[in-house]
Amino acid sequence: MIKHQMCAQRYFEDFRIGEIFNLPSRTMTEALFAAFQLASGDNHPVHYDVEYCRAHGMPHMLAHGFQVAIQTAAGAGLFPHMVEDSLKAFLEQSSRFLKPVYAGDTLYASLRVAELAPGRNTGVLVMHSEVRNQQGTLVLDGMQKYLLRKRPA
């Protein structure tokens, strides 16, 4: 069997606090809103009815919080390819929704190594997640925890 890896493999001790993993930007199109509505089952008109939103003082459809949170999915970037040999588990995730996101906004997400908690054979890598809009406004911040193996002896 051929093992094809996109990048060099990293283990727990190869990460440094402050290291940043930028994720691809994404413009929140009406098609993405429709796809998220279908996948989530959230049928509140604030997420799909432009006229309802305007009648309630919003400029456009409002993104569901989870629709914004998924912009921090590590799988959109290189991180999961770096830890194919060392990742044991995705342990935890939390998010705070700080500002509204509307259809047409472009989002820029990043993950930053915030904490490294070593164990005997593994360690917990804690990443701070954030999403900013096209004006640079922080719309979401949060945390993700991963259990990684230490490098084999």
Side-chain angles (χ1 to χ4, degrees):
M1 180 173 101
I2 297 174
K3 187 171 184 178
H4 176 75
Q5 292 179 317
M6 287 184 54
C7 42
Q9 292 301 286
R10 295 176 69 180
Y11 291 81
F12 173 77
E13 59 271 33
D14 298 325
F15 290 91
R16 301 290 173 254
I17 295 203
E19 192 171 355
I20 295 173
F21 299 90
N22 290 317
L23 300 170
S25 63
R26 176 169 292 160
T27 300
M28 304 306 292
T29 64
E30 291 184 32
L32 288 173
F33 273 66
F36 191 83
Q37 178 191 4
L38 182 64
S40 71
D42 186 332
N43 291 311
H44 193 280
V46 75
H47 304 306
Y48 70 87
D49 185 334
V50 176
E51 295 311 317
Y52 175 92
C53 294
R54 288 184 180 142
H56 288 84
M58 292 174 269
H60 211 303
M61 297 181 296
L62 179 69
H64 190 289
F66 290 126
Q67 186 177 358
V68 178
I70 62 172
Q71 303 311 309
T72 66
L78 290 177
F79 175 74
H81 301 285
M82 294 176 179
V83 296
E84 288 175 355
D85 292 343
S86 63
L87 181 65
K88 289 189 62 84
F90 178 33
L91 299 173
E92 185 178 341
Q93 185 281 144
S94 67
S95 298
R96 294 185 320 144
F97 308 104
L98 306 172
K99 297 286 182 182
V101 171
Y102 299 104
D105 284 347
T106 299
L107 302 180
Y108 301 85
S110 65
L111 304 170
R112 177 181 43 83
V113 178
E115 183 182 338
L116 295 164
R120 202 173 93 232
N121 298 318
T122 61
V124 175
L125 172 80
V126 180
M127 295 227 244
H128 175 260
S129 57
E130 72 174 43
V131 179
R132 294 183 180 274
N133 67 15
Q134 67 275 9
Q135 281 99 30
T137 303
L138 186 64
V139 298
L140 175 144
D141 72 3
M143 172 274 304
Q144 298 177 9
K145 289 184 180 180
Y146 298 88
L147 182 64
L148 300 178
R149 289 180 182 89
K150 287 187 172 178
R151 187 172 293 287

